[in-house]
Amino acid sequence: MAHTIRDIATALGAEAAGNLDLTVSCAAEPHSAGPEALALALDPKYAGGLAKGQARAAMLWPGADWQELGLEAAIFAPRGRLAMAGLSRMLDAGPAIAPGVHAMSVIDPTAEIGAGAAIGPFVTIGAGVRIGPNARIAGHVSIAEGATIGADALILQGARIGARVTIGDRFICQPGAVIGADGFSFVTPERSGVEEIRSTLGQRDEIREQTWTRIHSLGAVTIGDDVEIGANACIDRGTIRDTAIGSGTKLDNLVHIGHNVQVGRDCLLCGQVGIAGSSRIGDRVVLAGQCGVNDNIFVGDDVIAGGATKIFTNAPAGRVLLGYPAVKMETQIEINKALRRLPRLAAAVAELQKVVAKS
């Protein structure tokens, strides 16, 4: 996977200087870069590491004096992380999945596999499945009956895709993800304690035995184009309508999307986010790690929620949220400041009590 500095700069639309025919085969942090690596020193604070490594070329911030840094060539990246996205795409060889269908996979004769597919060992593909061209499916993946997957899919080891799931083009699925498991939906013959608490917010007239009756999931999951699903993420099928994930949305590892949830386009849901059943998430929403969203609420377009935020009520578009329960971020910061002052306040009140008691 060797590339010249010229080729990399051209692919990234970036400026370059020095020996543009110099080749690199990998990327590295400045202090550990060998002579074959492109060192990533995208900020002046990383420049010192170049002297500790052996890199001959580096990706630098605009205006950097590459010759003073002892380099033979440099690429200048106005937006470093965006340049890293393009560079990483060039240098990533991807998983080693041999073209064609491995002899130890089981594919139903009614399944349709697009041209250019690469399917690894121990894959099972059910009846009526349709998979688009150039799919890459690693070992131990299962795709249940009636599922449809678009072109250029990459589905990694041990992923499970349930019946009738529909997925768009350029789908990426990390190991162990489960798409299309049944939703967690149960009901009691009589009014349950949970229903009573929802209406009374704490008061219970009577505690009695109750048993749970399963509500089966008749819907499926619909996923748009350019969606990525992280390792061990779970997306439950809908009860009647499909659970839906909009195009361009990215789910991190261990994200859980409950039944009937509708997630918009270009959302970013970070690790351990949980969205309860029948909630709606707008477009371009960012939920940081361990955020939770209550059931049957709406989170508006362009909402950003900080880590561990718990959203219990509808959130208007564009709101920046933090805390448990979620409030405006600036409000939560003031709450945190006030909490830190509580010990001093308690000490002051105690001292005042002593003075009053003596008077």
Side-chain angles (χ1 to χ4, degrees), residues 144-203:
E145 64 276 7
T148 300
I149 301 170
D152 301 304
L154 173 59
I155 304 175
L156 294 174
Q157 292 83 357
R160 303 284 184 257
I161 297 177
R164 306 183 309 283
V165 168
T166 301
I167 299 172
D169 296 338
R170 297 172 297 279
F171 175 63
I172 297 177
C173 185
Q174 298 296 330
V178 178
I179 301 169
D182 279 354
F184 191 73
S185 193
F186 298 87
V187 66
T188 54
E190 300 82 22
R191 190 181 188 217
S192 70
V194 173
E195 292 174 279
E196 185 177 7
I197 293 301
R198 275 183 179 271
S199 61
T200 66
L201 298 181
Q203 180 63 38

Side-chain angles (χ1 to χ4, degrees), residues 198-213:
R198 275 183 179 271
S199 61
T200 66
L201 298 181
Q203 180 63 38
R204 297 190 67 177
D205 294 333
E206 179 186 0
I207 297 177
R208 56 186 177 274
E209 291 185 3
Q210 57 187 34
T211 58
W212 298 101
T213 300

Side-chain angles (χ1 to χ4, degrees), residues 38-340:
L38 181 68
L40 302 180
L42 299 168
D43 188 279
K45 65 185 179 183
Y46 301 122
L50 290 168
K52 300 175 183 178
Q54 298 176 314
R56 296 184 294 162
M59 186 177 289
L60 303 173
W61 64 97
D65 188 341
W66 59 277
Q67 292 171 309
E68 180 68 22
L69 293 169
L71 298 169
E72 297 177 34
I75 298 171
F76 302 101
R79 184 161 169 76
R81 284 182 61 79
L82 185 62
M84 282 183 62
L87 176 66
S88 63
R89 183 169 57 249
M90 292 182 70
L91 297 178
D92 184 6
I97 306 173
V101 179
H102 196 281
M104 299 186 75
S105 285
V106 178
I107 299 178
D108 189 276
T110 62
E112 300 177 16
I113 310 298
I119 298 177
F122 305 109
V123 172
T124 58
I125 297 178
V129 169
R130 289 183 294 158
I131 297 176
N134 303 314
R136 291 178 293 162
I137 302 176
H140 295 276
V141 169
S142 66
I143 302 174
E145 64 276 7
T148 300
I149 301 170
D152 301 304
L154 173 59
I155 304 175
L156 294 174
Q157 292 83 357
R160 303 284 184 257
I161 297 177
R164 306 183 309 283
V165 168
T166 301
I167 299 172
D169 296 338
R170 297 172 297 279
F171 175 63
I172 297 177
C173 185
Q174 298 296 330
V178 178
I179 301 169
D182 279 354
F184 191 73
S185 193
F186 298 87
V187 66
T188 54
E190 300 82 22
R191 190 181 188 217
S192 70
V194 173
E195 292 174 279
E196 185 177 7
I197 293 301
R198 275 183 179 271
S199 61
T200 66
L201 298 181
Q203 180 63 38
R204 297 190 67 177
D205 294 333
E206 179 186 0
I207 297 177
R208 56 186 177 274
E209 291 185 3
Q210 57 187 34
T211 58
W212 298 101
T213 300
R214 191 173 196 271
I215 299 175
H216 289 249
S217 298
L218 304 181
V221 177
T222 299
I223 295 176
D225 297 333
D226 301 298
V227 171
E228 299 194 21
I229 306 297
N232 293 322
C234 295
I235 304 174
D236 292 347
R237 64 177 61 250
T239 305
I240 302 297
R241 69 173 186 268
D242 287 1
T243 302
I245 308 294
S247 294
T249 286
K250 319 298 183 187
L251 274 62
D252 194 4
N253 301 342
L254 297 171
V255 168
H256 179 208
I257 307 295
H259 62 275
N260 301 340
V261 168
Q262 310 290 297
V263 177
R265 300 172 63 93
D266 295 308
C267 295
L268 200 65
L269 309 183
C270 302
Q272 298 185 338
V273 162
I275 301 177
S278 299
S279 282
R280 293 181 297 129
I281 309 297
D283 297 336
R284 300 173 301 279
V285 171
V286 177
L287 302 179
Q290 295 189 333
C291 281
V293 178
N294 203 12
D295 61 290
N296 291 282
I297 65 170
F298 176 64
V299 177
D301 295 347
D302 302 295
V303 165
I304 298 175
T309 296
K310 304 297 181 272
I311 304 173
F312 295 127
T313 58
N314 293 339
R319 185 63 56 86
V320 181
L321 300 171
L322 185 65
Y324 180 175
V327 295
K328 289 182 179 179
M329 182 172 283
E330 58 267 31
T331 301
Q332 185 62 43
I333 290 171
E334 291 303 313
I335 291 171
N336 292 346
K337 290 178 181 177
L339 284 172
R340 288 197 296 270

